[in-house]
């Protein structure tokens, strides 16, 4: 069973949704048969790499609200994050363009480290207030999950994997994605948003039942051979 996860490192609900999925997987009987595949979806491809504005000020400008209201909004999201064991530091967060972080994750996929790096990047951004457009910072985070920084540096100093990031985005849109997080299980079941673990568990269970049924239907003998059936 495969789970495709469309996400952006700038999305607070993506990290929360990831934790809720993991909680569901802890309860899923067939957890060992599940693979997860990170997919890129930039919420703001035109975001600047550097800004002097706080997250609250950015949100206030985006949604045309007072900064105080934006601060209350981020406090509410931080409380939701705390409910799943995450610590969000909106006061010291460094908003940035996430293209390089996404490109690095695609490179990490070639090393079998994409999921580990995605987790490390999310933690670095939301909890440690790391600047995810800094090449040196990204290389340090790559090293944390066992990726050779000297192999990763040429990727970050070029435009490698940019088309992979764009391709993920386009495919997500073709699937009806309008925001992230967005989870597709076995290409058939969709969970949109940071829903409760029960919603993920229900989708996982249904996808598994369908997978078992399909395997049975694809068996040409269906348990029978030479005129003899064994059950």
């Amino acid at each position: 069973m495969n789970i495709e996860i469309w996400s952006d490192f700038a999305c607070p609900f993506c990290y929360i949704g990831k934790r809720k999925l993991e909680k569901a997987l802890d309860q899923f009987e067939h957890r060992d048969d599940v693979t997860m595949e990170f997919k890129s979806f930039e919420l703001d491809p035109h975001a600047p790499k550097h800004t002097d504005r706080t997250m609250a000020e950015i949100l206030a400008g985006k949604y045309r609200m007072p900064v105080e209201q934006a601060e209350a909004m981020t406090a509410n999201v931080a409380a939701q994050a705390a409910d799943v064991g995450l610590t969000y530091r909106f006061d010291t967060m460094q908003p940035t363009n996430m293209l390089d972080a996404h490109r690095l994750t695609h490179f990490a996929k070639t090393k079998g480290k994409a999921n580990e790096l995605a987790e490390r990047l999310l933690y670095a951004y939301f909890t440690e207030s790391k600047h995810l457009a800094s090449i040196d910072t990204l290389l340090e985070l790559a090293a944390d999950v066992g990726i050779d920084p000297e192999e990763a540096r040429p990727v970050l100093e070029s435009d490698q994997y940019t088309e992979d990031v764009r391709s993920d985005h386009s495919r997500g849109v073709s699937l009806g994605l309008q925001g992230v997080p967005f989870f597709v299980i076995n290409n058939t079941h969709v969970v949109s948003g940071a829903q409760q673990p029960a919603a993920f568990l229900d989708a996982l269970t249904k996808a598994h039942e369908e997978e078992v049924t399909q395997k049975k239907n694809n068996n040409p003998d269906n348990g029978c051979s030479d005129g003899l059936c064994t059950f």
Side-chain angles (χ1 to χ4, degrees), residues 44-80:
D44 186 3
H46 304 294
K49 286 191 174 184
H50 302 281
T51 178
D52 294 329
R53 294 194 298 168
T54 65
M55 181 58 71
E57 290 171 340
I58 291 173
L59 291 173
K62 180 178 180 179
Y63 296 110
R64 299 182 181 180
M65 63 174 65
V67 172
E68 293 77 14
Q69 186 177 348
E71 289 174 341
M73 179 189 300
T74 58
N76 177 270
V77 175
Q80 293 182 55

Side-chain angles (χ1 to χ4, degrees), residues 49 99-105 132 134-140 142 149 151-161:
K49 286 191 174 184
L99 175 59
D100 289 343
H102 281 289
R103 292 195 302 112
L104 183 61
T105 307
L132 296 193
S134 162
I135 289 181
D136 288 340
T137 296
L138 290 172
L139 291 175
E140 290 174 6
E151 289 189 48
R153 182 178 292 277
V155 173
L156 293 173
E157 292 180 344
S158 68
D159 63 353
Q160 289 185 62
Y161 298 102

Side-chain angles (χ1 to χ4, degrees), residues 27 33 106 113 189:
Q27 305 171 55
D33 299 325
H106 279 274
K113 295 284 187 178
H189 290 268

Side-chain angles (χ1 to χ4, degrees), residues 87-118:
T87 300
Y88 279 9
R89 293 296 308 275
F90 283 104
D91 55 332
T92 56
M93 201 171 289
Q94 299 191 61
T96 188
N97 187 292
M98 293 296 178
L99 175 59
D100 289 343
H102 281 289
R103 292 195 302 112
L104 183 61
T105 307
H106 279 274
F107 171 70
K109 188 182 298 184
T110 69
K111 304 295 182 180
K113 295 284 187 178
N115 293 332
E116 292 90 338
L117 182 63

